[in-house]
Amino acid sequence: MIKNATTEDMKTLTLCLNKLLSDGYTEDFRAAEKGLLSMQSEKTYTPHQIHVVNFYRFEGASDPADNSILYAIETSDGVKGTLVDAYGPYADLKVNKFMKEVEDISKKDVSGETDRQ
């Protein structure tokens, strides 16, 4: 579970990634044809094997190409990591397709309250 963070911790993608790393979200994931691929172990997870613990959207000041989304992910076998994607028209279609199939997505506000999607 992600420890409560201040708004200051989550202002930029880099700060947010660093906070998640310090909370143990060390695995890097990417969407592949057959599911979500761990870049370290090369194991592939199905949508039913992951829980999106939280997600964060970041908007570029002037360029829509700067929009991104960061997912904090825990797998059914206890692996914790992150997935970063563009947000909006530049999003990776494989990430979009995979996330639409994920049933267990949560969003926590800064106070730690969970809102199930």
Side-chain angles (χ1 to χ4, degrees), residues 63-79:
D63 185 355
D66 290 341
N67 293 345
S68 60
I69 187 164
L70 168 64
Y71 297 97
I73 294 170
E74 293 182 12
T75 66
S76 58
D77 60 354
V79 174

Side-chain angles (χ1 to χ4, degrees), residues 90-101:
Y90 301 103
D92 182 330
L93 295 176
K94 286 184 269 188
V95 172
N96 190 30
K97 181 179 182 271
F98 183 86
M99 287 301 169
K100 283 182 179 179
E101 295 177 19

Side-chain angles (χ1 to χ4, degrees), residues 33-116:
E33 290 301 322
K34 296 184 179 183
L36 195 66
L37 176 66
S38 162
M39 300 305 292
Q40 285 82 351
S41 70
E42 297 184 2
K43 180 175 179 178
T44 301
Y45 296 91
T46 68
H48 301 291
Q49 292 176 302
I50 73 152
H51 166 63
V52 176
V53 178
N54 212 340
F55 59 92
Y56 310 89
R57 291 184 185 142
F58 302 93
E59 295 181 8
S62 62
D63 185 355
D66 290 341
N67 293 345
S68 60
I69 187 164
L70 168 64
Y71 297 97
I73 294 170
E74 293 182 12
T75 66
S76 58
D77 60 354
V79 174
K80 293 168 42 174
T82 58
L83 171 66
V84 179
D85 188 25
Y87 187 75
Y90 301 103
D92 182 330
L93 295 176
K94 286 184 269 188
V95 172
N96 190 30
K97 181 179 182 271
F98 183 86
M99 287 301 169
K100 283 182 179 179
E101 295 177 19
V102 173
E103 295 178 5
D104 196 4
I105 298 178
S106 301
K107 176 68 183 156
K108 294 184 183 174
D109 63 20
V110 176
S111 71
E113 294 291 318
T114 301
D115 179 23
R116 290 252 186 231

